[in-house]
Amino acid sequence: MFVLRQCLTLGTKSSVRNFAAATNLVNVKINEDTGVVIMELNKPPVNSLNYELLEAMHRTLVKLENERCSGMILTSSSPNTFSAGLDLLEMYKPTVDKARKFWGMLQNTWIKLYSAPYPTVAAINGHSPAGGCLLAMSCEYRIMVPKKKIGLNETQLGIVAPQWFQDCMKNIIGSRQAEKALIAGTLFSSEEAAKIGLIDELATDKEDLMKKAHDFMDEQLGLPPLARSTVKIGFRKDTLNRLINSREVDTKYFIDFIFQPKVQESLEMYLQALKKK
Ligand SMILES: CCCCCCCCCC/C=C\CC(=O)SCCNC(=O)CCNC(=O)[C@H](O)C(C)(C)COP(=O)(O)OP(=O)(O)OC[C@H]1O[C@@H](n2cnc3c(N)ncnc32)[C@H](O)[C@@H]1OP(=O)(O)O
């Protein structure tokens, strides 16, 4: 199967098609023989998740519902970072309307990604804090390059990871480990993340990362798709429904929280520290 895939992806008769996207914030390629899609986040320098990037991801995920997509590998074009998480500028002194629109798009994108019926793999080729970790955790399988950081570090920034972020982590590493990690806002090294099961496999380098992602995909493509996706959604439906049934409340929490003067102060200080680095 690996040889077949190599022929399909590297062979002279390339059957890889660029997926027409309205923006270049995501590069999307579909292998027309296998149906496997690679979605590469492409918002330099660190793929911070602003409204436009989330909208581009959401639009792609909707489009994939009507394509012959058999699986999706999510990765990044940045050399050092998978995603730096939510764009802090979306939370720093926004208008209420802008913040509401942003949060709604984050919810939309997460719901689509978390509930995708086809196999999804995060090929984590760099740091993946906070919202970046959420994206990775929303995929079914996570593979990461060495010596990078991943985790829900919100507490360390003086903000709180929403319930659905927390649920995703709990579903992967268990309640006790998640509670400790969330209270402390731990950023794990790739190696630590592999030990606690936050990631499934460590890759040796970027080439190995993509090879392992395709290997996982090949295994999944060998399974009956309806049975596969039914089991997946069965495992995920409680977490999904918890947000779907409380989107408005969740948005209100977000708005009320970020408009607190103390939170705005923390964000300002953090942004300044990042710029000074
Ligand atoms: C009761 C219930 C209440 C619920 C309330 C809800 C409240 C809010 C919930 C919020 C949920 C999730 C939050 C997040 O996702 S917040 C984002 C957290 N992210 C981080 O902490 C990561 C910050 N970035 C880094 O640590 C590093 O950038 C990096 C990812 C490790 C990469 O390092 P690098 O050295 O390669 O790059 P660096 O020089 O640091 O950055 C390059 C430029 O990018 C800017 N930048 C970095 N991260 C962000 C970001 N997240 N948003 C916006 N901009 C970012 C950085 O400032 C540099 O800019 P410039 O080039 O200097 O202009």
Side-chain angles (χ1 to χ4, degrees):
M1 190 63 178
F2 177 63
V3 174
L4 171 65
R5 179 223 311 148
Q6 290 294 82
C7 296
L8 294 174
T9 53
L10 302 174
T12 42
K13 273 185 17 194
S14 171
S15 53
V16 174
R17 164 169 66 92
N18 284 321
F19 197 75
T23 79
N24 57 2
L25 291 169
V26 288
N27 298 324
V28 187
K29 287 188 175 147
I30 184 161
N31 183 312
E32 299 209 301
D33 297 310
T34 63
V36 173
V37 167
I38 299 182
M39 176 164 20
E40 187 183 65
L41 306 179
N42 183 39
K43 179 177 173 288
V46 292
N47 289 320
S48 58
L49 301 167
N50 66 355
Y51 178 85
E52 288 72 20
L53 176 53
L54 289 167
E55 209 256 338
M57 291 181 72
H58 181 254
R59 193 191 300 229
T60 304
L61 291 166
V62 170
K63 234 171 146 187
L64 291 182
E65 289 169 358
N66 302 315
E67 286 277 331
R68 201 186 63 85
C69 169
S70 60
M72 198 262 293
I73 299 172
L74 181 64
T75 191
S76 142
S77 66
S78 158
N80 186 40
T81 302
F82 177 71
S83 164
L86 303 191
D87 194 315
L88 295 156
L89 297 172
E90 294 281 12
M91 294 183 276
Y92 180 60
K93 296 187 176 167
T95 61
V96 172
D97 271 4
K98 189 167 180 259
R100 174 174 284 283
K101 216 175 129 203
F102 165 68
W103 198 251
M105 189 50 75
L106 176 66
Q107 292 173 338
N108 287 341
T109 307
W110 176 76
I111 290 167
K112 283 279 173 232
L113 180 58
Y114 202 66
S115 65
Y118 45 77
T120 50
V121 187
I124 312 167
N125 54 332
H127 299 296
S128 194
C133 179
L134 176 76
L135 286 186
M137 292 191 303
S138 305
C139 294
E140 281 170 54
Y141 199 74
R142 282 155 292 285
I143 310 159
M144 191 168 179
V145 294
K147 296 189 171 54
K148 302 291 176 193
K149 295 278 186 186
I150 184 166
L152 293 179
N153 59 321
E154 281 81 350
T155 311
Q156 299 243 8
L157 315 182
I159 55 180
V160 178
Q163 192 60 55
W164 39 294
F165 287 45
Q166 299 192 20
D167 287 346
C168 282
M169 182 170 261
K170 227 189 273 180
N171 294 345
I172 294 170
I173 62 174
S175 192
R176 180 66 191 128
Q177 287 278 15
E179 183 179 340
K180 284 198 285 181
L182 281 153
I183 289 176
T186 312
L187 275 179
F188 297 98
S189 67
S190 315
E191 295 71 15
E192 291 164 339
K195 260 192 205 144
I196 62 164
L198 181 57
I199 63 161
D200 297 288
E201 277 189 83
L202 258 183
T204 49
D205 54 27
K206 287 183 187 175
E207 195 184 325
D208 187 45
L209 179 74
M210 292 315 283
K211 179 194 170 300
K212 284 185 158 64
H214 282 289
D215 285 347
F216 173 79
M217 205 49 88
D218 287 349
E219 270 172 30
Q220 298 301 307
L221 297 190
L223 297 168
L226 182 60
R228 214 203 71 81
S229 64
T230 305
V231 174
K232 170 176 176 174
I233 301 305
F235 267 91
R236 293 182 173 218
K237 70 176 185 319
D238 290 349
T239 302
L240 280 164
N241 287 338
R242 193 166 178 185
L243 176 66
I244 290 168
N245 297 328
S246 65
R247 285 188 63 158
E248 204 37 55
V249 176
D250 180 67
T251 305
K252 186 173 172 349
Y253 275 148
F254 172 67
I255 304 275
D256 290 349
F257 191 83
I258 62 159
F259 279 93
Q260 289 176 43
K262 280 225 152 109
V263 174
Q264 286 298 313
E265 266 170 45
S266 299
L267 282 171
E268 182 169 330
M269 279 163 49
Y270 190 54
L271 274 164
Q272 279 171 4
L274 273 175
K275 299 259 170 236
K276 273 195 205 133
K277 240 179 57 182

